[in-house]
Amino acid sequence: MRKVALVGAGVGKFGVRKATYRDLIWEAGKACFDSVPALKPRDIEGLVVGSVMPERTAFQSHISSLAAEALGIRPSALSARTEHMCASGTVGLRYAYAFIAAGLADLVMVLGVEKLTQPTAEEAILNMGAGVDREWEAAFGLTAPPCFALAAQRHMARYGTTEEQLALVGVKNHTHAAKNPNAHFNKGATLDQVLCSRMISSPLRLFMCSPITDGAAAVIVAGEERARALTDTPVWIRGTGQALDGFQLTSLPEDYAHWPALERTAQRAYRMAGITPRDVDVAEVHDCFAIAELIAYEELGFCPKGEAGAFVAAGRSDYGGDVVVNPRGGLIGCGHPLGATGVAQAAEIFVQLRDEAGARQVPGASIGLTHNNSGMGEHVVMIYGREAP
Amino acid sequence: MSYFRAIDPFPLESPDWNKLGEFYARLGQGRLSTTRCAGCGRTAWPPRAFCPECCSDRFDWVDLPSEGTVHAFTVQETGLPAGFDGPRIFAIVKVHGHRVFSIIVEGDPGRITLGQRVSLKPLRIADDPKGNPRWLPAFTPV
Ligand SMILES: [Zn+2]
């Protein structure tokens, strides 16, 4: 397989945006092309767009062609949309990686975009029900918060994880987001604010949850020769993995605090990258809810099973700790524009491994990891390095 | 015009449109049932018209007990979808070895506990577009 690297990345402003779906594509495209001045849209051979529900929110299908038109890209090797709920962006990146590694394309843009906040909050939430099984789950009014609440209930009962430890994830990620001008939230949060925020689905409170957000992000992926010609500091894809345990809540393992699919995915990606969890300097993990970040520490091997609460409380997932988790503010601080999230995670690792992250730079970061999931049963992991594989 | 009302959040339950129509017909009679594969004899939850073990598409209907225990639950207070009210008790109910996802109705959200016994309480929802009644399998504290 050919070696593959990120050579450019850009993120638009995340938030409740007074902007159309196409506006968001323009913003992310502009930011991404600005990061590689040597490239113009006409140079791009392939385009993959991660987007989950534009049919509902923008009454728009045929997404990759829409984005190609908006940015002036004329795909000659690959053009596709990935819809894979919350992990759509990273799944799109894996397609670009595979096409380039196989020699079927040399230069591919992966763009993630979602316009969620229209026309009303209640309807935006109704739309999110499309991500779970309509007949056996969404018909009851199920969306993501109660699913992850079941995991939190189990983790607290089995390991003694506390509400305060869950809240500390919210504090950390809101604090990180305050240094990210593209984040949905920029005010930070105190422990009291998180613990006193309103209950969404017990035991998860508002500041332990990612909000409904509009946003877009893009990266440019290249084969080795092209990457080296374009930049002195490409960010190499070193490993990747994806696994599914189940779609419905009732087909997942009985212990909702254990996510074997993530454990398997991570092991596969670590093996491919030739590294161990201790080598990871910076990680963007899928904190759609605070409990998800805690369980991710464990399944990714950052700490033993059951000890994630103590891990965050000791500051081991923050600056100065073992691994800086979610320096851009995570989904809790940045928001979670579904298809854009995985791409924005990759864009953060891109700037971190090039020492371009400014106020949120993780000093000396040379190995970065992203984790994107679609519910508790499906996980995707990417590992990046400053050094070529 | 209010376009979100054009979305029907509930399944098409009639046997004219759904291989699992018998499930809903029995549910309307107060019975909880599921499929047993006619090829290998495995019982599934939720019911299914294709068996991943033996690849058979033949199945029989079997009734399940109408009582179970709460395996996991959460009370959602806010952030519910349009058309659904809180507080809403979502639960995984253990019935005869199967985990059934459902809601608990007519229960005090503050008093639900793990392991609590609950019994089937079919929930009448909006009629289908042809005016046929529809039901979901909900539970209530014993
Ligand atoms: Zn069978």
Side-chain angles (χ1 to χ4, degrees), chain B residues 37-42 51-56:
Chain B
C37 175
C40 69
R42 283 184 175 80
C51 175
E53 298 299 331
C54 73
C55 294
S56 170

Side-chain angles (χ1 to χ4, degrees), chain B residues 9-122:
Chain B
F10 302 117
L12 292 173
E13 298 185 349
S14 156
D16 297 340
W17 297 321
N18 191 331
K19 289 181 194 294
L20 305 178
E22 176 70 14
F23 171 82
Y24 297 105
R26 291 185 184 213
L27 186 62
Q29 299 160 8
R31 296 157 68 189
L32 184 68
S33 60
T34 193
T35 50
R36 183 170 57 208
C37 175
C40 69
R42 283 184 175 80
T43 302
W45 181 267
R48 56 190 305 150
F50 169 78
C51 175
E53 298 299 331
C54 73
C55 294
S56 170
D57 62 355
R58 295 175 299 115
F59 55 87
D60 302 308
W61 288 97
V62 291
D63 281 328
L64 292 171
S66 61
E67 279 199 14
T69 55
V70 174
H71 172 74
F73 72 94
T74 179
V75 181
Q76 186 167 13
E77 296 184 7
T78 53
L80 283 140
F84 296 85
D85 296 324
R88 198 164 182 85
I89 309 166
F90 293 101
I92 306 289
V93 179
K94 264 279 181 68
V95 178
H96 199 61
H98 296 290
R99 272 176 295 156
V100 176
F101 171 76
S102 186
I103 53 171
I104 294 174
V105 296
E106 296 172 19
D108 177 351
R111 302 188 60 160
I112 303 294
T113 54
L114 290 173
Q116 177 172 1
R117 286 171 62 216
V118 291
S119 67
L120 183 71
K121 178 92 183 181

Side-chain angles (χ1 to χ4, degrees), chain A residues 269-292:
Chain A
Y270 287 138
R271 263 201 313 279
M272 188 173 169
I275 65 160
T276 70
R278 297 173 56 89
D279 298 319
V280 179
D281 301 303
V282 54
E284 284 287 320
V285 313
H286 195 99
D287 60 323
C288 49
F289 301 93
I291 185 61

Side-chain angles (χ1 to χ4, degrees), chain A residues 45-111:
Chain A
E45 300 170 346
L47 178 63
V48 182
V49 182
S51 200
V52 175
M53 49 184 67
E55 286 82 356
R56 284 288 292 148
T57 57
F59 200 2
Q60 181 70 62
S61 296
H62 210 168
I63 297 309
S64 185
S65 300
L66 174 86
E69 181 110 334
L71 297 178
I73 292 168
R74 295 281 181 277
S76 55
L78 166 65
S79 180
R81 167 188 175 189
T82 51
E83 187 288 294
H84 207 71
M85 203 52 197
C86 308
S88 298
T90 308
V91 170
L93 255 166
R94 281 168 55 84
Y95 284 176
Y97 170 76
F99 261 69
I100 295 169
L104 293 173
D106 211 29
L107 198 58
V108 178
M109 172 176 271
V110 181
L111 186 140

Side-chain angles (χ1 to χ4, degrees), chain A residues 77-152:
Chain A
L78 166 65
S79 180
R81 167 188 175 189
T82 51
E83 187 288 294
H84 207 71
M85 203 52 197
C86 308
S88 298
T90 308
V91 170
L93 255 166
R94 281 168 55 84
Y95 284 176
Y97 170 76
F99 261 69
I100 295 169
L104 293 173
D106 211 29
L107 198 58
V108 178
M109 172 176 271
V110 181
L111 186 140
V113 53
E114 213 74 52
K115 174 71 189 173
L116 288 179
T117 62
Q118 70 179 22
T120 66
E122 293 74 15
E123 181 173 0
I125 293 167
L126 181 71
N127 293 339
M128 301 294 270
V132 297
D133 190 299
R134 179 195 179 204
E135 183 161 15
W136 299 103
E137 298 180 329
F140 294 86
L142 183 72
T143 55
C147 298
F148 287 84
L150 299 179

